[in-house]
Amino acid sequence: MTRPLLWLLLGLWSLAATAEETLHYPADPEAGPAQPLIIHAALDLPHVRPLLEAFHRHHPNIELTYRNLTTLELHQHFLDAPDAADVVLSSAMPWQYHLANDGHAQPLESDVARRWPAWAQWRGELFAFTFEPIVMVVHRDLIERFGEVRNHGDLLELLSDHADALAGRIVTYDPVRSGAGYTYAIEESRLSPRYWDLVSSLGRARTVLTGTTGEMLSGLEEGRYLLGYNLLGSYVRDAVADHPQLVMVVPDDYALVTQRLAFIPRLAPHPESAALFMDYLLSEAGQRVIAEQTHLGAMHPALSGPGTAGALRDEVGDALRPIAIGPGLLATLDRLKREALLARWRREFQREVPALR
């Protein structure tokens, strides 16, 4: 058996032997001494696999282990074991900023990092590497029956007029269980004076609450739900392409944009490997993989066209509302403010729910 074939078989065996939400790429024994790299993230495997494979082709001596968790699981896992991972990636921006602000991140000192846009990083330690709109997904059956839903005003009107007909057929994030869902809730409460009316209307329609975009998409694809609210657009694009009965809507009144944030933990066990990965993540080559092989939205200033932040800006324009990386994110994690917001969210959501008979 040749060495390349043996290496391939070892890789396939490793993928089969690991848990469903883990990827493992063994080092090529012919590429020199193996260097471990452990990445913990909240980014589903189909969306991260092209990036990991491209990085591994550039650095075949890296023994790469990738573990995917939910946003809140990832955060708690880091607090329990801050030396377990070399790179941490997540779309839960307040939690990532909180960790970096508390001194858990180390600076990335490279030319690539220094050239990264100032608005997309913090102190050379925390870096945004995607540009993902928060969208609605509408089933064509709903459009045929009730008309198009183009923005939040249309959605509020739809729910106000047809709550009973849509009972149990709408789905969105549970802000209690989902870090991303909580982030969107607090950002929207600042953006829109009618946000709480919308929450009440979602409750009146007995909206189903879930923890992930993946759960929402499964129900939409199966026809259990007719509309999904506040899904990650990067995950939605593939689903819409594969299921023509679904339509992705980037709201034309305002559309939140989340950015996945990455950092190297201060106690990373393999900081050299981590720096290699971060440099690739922010490089033109790595960002081109994001633009061409994923729907995550590349941010590199040198890239334009489909799959980039520039293309989304051209498409949506002034309606985009990127969530800023800065101290304002910490306010969302203040315990008393968090409890107050979630208490009001529950109260508004339950305020108009009719009693079960």
Side-chain angles (χ1 to χ4, degrees), residues 142-334:
L142 183 145
I143 296 173
E144 291 176 6
R145 186 174 175 186
F146 301 112
E148 292 189 358
V149 181
R150 296 173 296 269
N151 51 49
H152 296 84
D154 288 348
L155 176 60
L156 181 56
E157 183 178 350
L158 173 73
L159 295 174
S160 299
D161 294 344
H162 305 289
D164 292 340
L166 294 171
R169 307 300 300 278
I170 312 293
V171 64
T172 192
Y173 274 114
D174 182 349
V176 177
R177 289 191 287 144
S178 166
Y182 172 74
T183 302
Y184 308 153
I186 198 164
E187 290 292 330
E188 281 199 86
S189 70
R190 296 166 175 168
L191 270 177
S192 172
R194 303 194 70 189
Y195 174 67
W196 295 114
D197 294 334
L198 180 57
V199 173
S200 294
S201 295
L202 289 168
R204 178 70 178 82
R206 298 192 183 281
T207 294
V208 178
L209 304 179
T210 69
T212 68
T213 288
E215 292 176 75
M216 289 190 255
L217 284 174
S218 293
L220 287 159
E221 291 164 1
E222 294 165 5
R224 288 185 283 118
Y225 309 131
L226 294 178
L227 186 146
Y229 178 65
N230 274 3
L231 289 78
L232 277 168
S234 51
Y235 287 16
V236 167
R237 290 186 188 274
D238 280 334
V240 169
D242 294 337
H243 298 83
Q245 75 273 25
L246 300 179
V247 177
M248 186 178 87
V249 177
V250 183
D252 60 20
D253 52 352
Y254 68 87
L256 292 175
V257 177
T258 191
Q259 300 158 81
R260 293 179 195 269
L261 303 181
F263 70 89
I264 302 174
R266 183 170 52 84
L267 300 179
H270 314 108
E272 296 85 1
S273 300
L276 282 177
F277 181 78
M278 288 290 291
D279 273 354
Y280 185 75
L281 190 65
L282 305 178
S283 71
E284 186 172 343
Q287 287 280 300
R288 191 175 298 280
V289 172
I290 290 176
E292 296 178 354
Q293 300 184 44
T294 80
H295 295 301
L296 297 173
M299 298 179 58
H300 197 286
L303 298 179
S304 60
T308 68
L312 183 64
R313 289 192 179 99
D314 290 342
E315 176 188 346
V316 182
D318 294 338
L320 292 180
R321 299 288 188 274
I323 300 173
I325 305 171
L329 289 170
L330 291 178
T332 68
L333 297 183
D334 179 272

Side-chain angles (χ1 to χ4, degrees), residues 4 12 17 34 45 73 90 148 158 160 168 214 291 300 312 336-337 340 348:
L12 293 173
L45 305 190
E73 286 173 342
S90 177
E148 292 189 358
L158 173 73
S160 299
H300 197 286
L312 183 64
L336 293 178
K337 290 181 179 178
E348 298 292 345

Side-chain angles (χ1 to χ4, degrees), residues 34-106:
Q35 292 181 239
L37 172 63
I38 303 168
I39 302 173
H40 289 176
L43 178 54
D44 290 355
L45 305 190
H47 305 279
V48 75
R49 187 179 280 112
L51 187 65
L52 298 181
E53 290 177 350
F55 170 76
H56 198 252
R57 284 194 297 271
H58 280 76
H59 300 281
N61 64 313
I62 297 290
E63 181 180 351
L64 194 162
T65 301
Y66 177 90
R67 183 180 179 191
N68 182 46
L69 305 100
T70 68
T71 52
L72 294 185
E73 286 173 342
L74 177 69
H75 183 75
Q76 188 59 51
H77 191 276
F78 181 87
L79 294 177
D80 293 340
D83 59 350
D86 299 305
V87 177
V88 178
L89 316 174
S90 177
S91 60
M93 297 175 67
W95 280 263
Q96 292 287 88
Y97 185 88
H98 174 65
L99 292 175
N101 189 68
D102 277 4
H104 289 292
Q106 58 177 283

Side-chain angles (χ1 to χ4, degrees), residues 107-117 121 124 127 279 282:
L108 178 63
E109 298 176 344
S110 68
D111 290 339
V112 173
R114 283 186 283 271
R115 290 194 297 265
W116 200 243
Q121 63 165 295
F127 296 87
D279 273 354
L282 305 178

